[in-house]
Amino acid sequence: MNLVIVSALIFIVTLALVLSGIYFLFEAPAEKRRLRRRMELVRDDIEGADFEGEGGLLRTDVLSGIPAVHRVLMKIPGIRKLQLFIQQSAVAVTAGMLLTISLLSGWVAFLLSLLFNFPWLLALMLGLLALSIPFLLVAVKRQRRFLRFEEQFPDAIDLLARAVRAGHAFTTGLDLIAKEMPSPLSEEFQRTYEEQNLGLPLRDAFENLTRRMPLTDVRIFVTALVIQKESGGNLAEILDNLASVIRERFKLFRQVRVHTAQGRASLYVLTAIGPAMCFLLYIVNREYITVLFTDPLGIKFLVTAILLQVVGYFVIRKITQPKF
């Protein structure tokens, strides 16, 4: 069995190296030559133009750097949601790269577990855990980016209100936010400004902002702007009141997080204690814990425990993270 696993690992590494070599030696230079010929044909027309914003908008829709892989990924249902998920986290990977990393990490973890004589069920669990780690890292980075955006958002609205009160156009205020505010707020407003600057209606550009940042504060902001544009009113005063409301909501949100800190700590401890005890028992007394993975009744108990653990995690998470 060990020889088969080692042979499979060697085959995977060799295949990956061969495919990489074929791409970088043949496909990549050919693609560069085709791109160079196309650029030479239109060089006189684009000389002196700045397409940085448009290029940035187009790059976010690329699912893979390899055109053939991009075409295959386009046929997978839900791939656009995954690409949006990655875009919201601002991680410099494509959907194809994330899927490749996840599958390879899960497969390698599964084979290494079998190589060290782990029971196949435990090896499968470790493989699934390794497969999910890249997605969990992206999700954590996405959540942290949302929190930073929420902290900076009231200041951006104040800046926009001051720009409107000073006589600047509304779109000029968006450009000021993109240039003056820190990331990630500057990145999102820069994209919104570029979209409307390239001809997209302002309402559609803000709808795209709510799609990239699905936060309550952003939806309130966009709704207020749409209503003001249709019915009229003092835009600066509306923005000032909106910034005040968002600050109060954020203050309330922080108070709720303080009061639920103990519940969230319990969630992490209760979630980790089961896998940790299983791993320690496997190291200390392998024969005692192996029954769970070999006996049919033990497998049923193990599957039931995992399902209850998952249900308990989401129940406690729902309690400790209320939406308001």
Side-chain angles (χ1 to χ4, degrees), residues 13-222:
V13 174
T14 305
L15 180 62
L17 292 176
V18 170
L19 293 177
S20 301
I22 292 174
Y23 175 75
F24 287 109
L25 292 177
F26 298 100
E27 180 65 23
E31 185 68 24
K32 289 181 180 179
R33 287 194 297 270
R34 289 194 294 267
L35 179 61
R36 190 179 299 112
R37 286 196 297 268
R38 293 174 61 188
M39 293 298 293
E40 289 174 355
L41 292 175
V42 297
R43 179 176 53 190
D44 295 335
D45 295 333
I46 65 172
E47 186 175 3
D50 182 14
F51 289 97
E52 180 180 358
E54 184 178 2
L57 297 179
L58 295 176
R59 279 194 298 271
T60 58
D61 293 331
V62 177
L63 302 178
S64 175
I66 305 175
V69 178
H70 173 78
R71 290 191 292 270
V72 172
L73 291 175
M74 286 290 293
K75 301 178 181 179
I76 300 177
I79 194 65
R80 286 296 183 184
K81 293 183 179 180
L82 177 60
Q83 183 70 6
L84 177 62
F85 181 79
I86 298 173
Q87 180 184 345
Q88 290 170 345
S89 66
V91 178
V93 296
T94 60
M97 185 182 299
L98 181 62
L99 289 174
T100 302
I101 294 173
S102 301
L103 292 174
L104 284 178
S105 59
W107 179 246
V108 171
F110 176 72
L111 292 179
L112 289 177
S113 300
L114 293 180
L115 181 64
F116 287 101
N117 296 322
F118 281 37
W120 70 269
L121 186 57
L122 180 59
L124 180 62
M125 292 170 56
L126 293 176
L128 293 176
L129 178 62
L131 184 144
S132 63
I133 285 177
F135 292 97
L136 292 176
L137 294 177
V138 173
V140 170
K141 190 171 180 63
R142 173 177 177 266
Q143 187 62 30
R144 290 179 178 176
R145 190 167 183 264
F146 283 168
L147 291 176
R148 290 199 304 270
F149 186 95
E150 285 183 320
E151 291 179 355
Q152 302 164 3
F153 195 44
D155 296 333
I157 297 178
D158 284 338
L159 178 59
L160 184 59
R162 290 194 297 268
V164 172
R165 191 176 289 110
H168 294 289
F170 181 78
T171 54
T172 304
L174 298 180
D175 191 29
L176 287 175
I177 294 175
K179 292 178 180 178
E180 301 296 333
M181 298 299 295
S183 175
L185 193 139
S186 60
E187 298 172 355
E188 295 301 329
F189 274 86
Q190 178 68 31
R191 182 177 173 87
T192 301
Y193 175 76
E194 290 169 354
E195 286 178 346
Q196 64 85 28
N197 202 30
L198 291 171
L200 189 69
L202 188 60
R203 180 170 184 171
D204 295 339
F206 277 119
E207 288 180 355
N208 291 337
L209 176 63
T210 60
R211 185 173 60 88
R212 296 191 306 271
M213 287 288 165
L215 304 173
T216 303
D217 296 338
V218 178
R219 289 194 292 267
I220 294 174
F221 170 72
V222 174

Side-chain angles (χ1 to χ4, degrees), residues 214-273:
L215 304 173
T216 303
D217 296 338
V218 178
R219 289 194 292 267
I220 294 174
F221 170 72
V222 174
T223 302
L225 291 181
V226 171
I227 293 175
Q228 190 276 335
K229 184 177 180 181
E230 294 179 352
S231 60
N234 190 337
L235 180 58
E237 183 180 356
I238 292 174
L239 293 175
D240 288 335
N241 294 334
L242 184 60
S244 176
V245 171
I246 292 177
R247 283 194 174 93
E248 292 299 322
R249 287 189 69 256
F250 194 74
K251 185 186 301 184
L252 178 61
F253 174 74
R254 284 295 181 87
Q255 291 177 354
V256 171
R257 286 185 61 85
V258 170
H259 292 303
T260 59
Q262 182 178 358
R264 285 184 283 110
S266 301
L267 169 64
Y268 302 143
V269 173
L270 293 175
T271 302
I273 194 170

